[in-house]
Amino acid sequence: MTSRRSFILGTAAWAATGFTASAQAPQIEVWRDPHCGCCSGWVDYLRTEGFTVEDRVVASVSPVRRMLGTPSDLLSCHAARVAGFVLEGHVPAPAIRRLLSERPAGIVGLAVPATPVGSPGMEVPGHAPETYDVVAWRADGSHRPFMRFTGARPT
């Protein structure tokens, strides 16, 4: 016969294990050019933010972008996918977490077009970080600002 104490301890251990597994950030799959230092900087940044990253170095990111459906006016230097969403460029961790938490209806992905100075992986010593928008887009290619950042911090 199971005692009440054993039952409570067993349930607490099970709940703690389940909570730990579900609290982990999902894996981010990244495709990047082998010669781009800022892309590897973004991958390192994601890892320091607690994400698990599958880093895929490819000869060309263009075929991956076509597969993912990234709009041509939102391109940057690397592509990624997380939990069914597409990421393009130096998207900061707070924007990724918000996307995964809110899962806004109709949104396919987030992008930071170009490579703003101060965005994660684009830090330049002696240069002030730029203010930029993280852009959310839909399957039809329409897009809107999702969050505004200065460097890697929301504004």
Side-chain angles (χ1 to χ4, degrees):
M1 179 174 210
T2 304
S3 72
R4 182 175 176 201
R5 181 176 179 194
S6 296
F7 175 76
I8 291 171
L9 290 174
T11 302
W14 173 80
T17 302
F19 178 76
T20 302
S22 66
Q24 292 176 349
Q27 179 171 310
I28 299 179
E29 189 176 14
V30 177
W31 292 270
R32 66 178 180 89
D33 179 281
H35 307 291
C36 186
C38 68
C39 296
S40 60
W42 186 67
V43 167
D44 293 343
Y45 161 80
L46 291 175
R47 287 180 174 142
T48 63
E49 287 290 322
F51 291 97
T52 301
V53 179
E54 184 175 337
D55 186 12
R56 296 179 179 209
V57 178
V58 295
S60 175
V61 182
S62 294
V64 174
R65 288 187 174 111
R66 282 192 295 277
M67 174 193 73
L68 297 173
T70 307
S72 61
D73 61 335
L74 297 179
L75 297 180
S76 184
C77 57
H78 52 265
R81 181 171 48 197
V82 59
F85 292 102
V86 180
L87 304 173
E88 176 69 26
H90 297 263
V91 179
I96 298 169
R97 288 187 184 102
R98 178 179 165 202
L99 176 72
L100 296 174
S101 171
E102 294 179 7
R103 297 190 169 276
I107 298 302
V108 173
L110 299 179
V112 174
T115 50
V117 172
S119 61
M122 285 298 300
E123 298 85 357
V124 179
H127 290 84
E130 296 177 299
T131 298
Y132 59 94
D133 286 328
V134 174
V135 178
W137 83 84
R138 298 178 175 281
D140 67 2
S142 64
H143 45 76
R144 64 174 174 78
F146 183 72
M147 289 180 80
R148 178 160 280 193
F149 284 79
T150 299
R153 297 176 187 254
T155 57

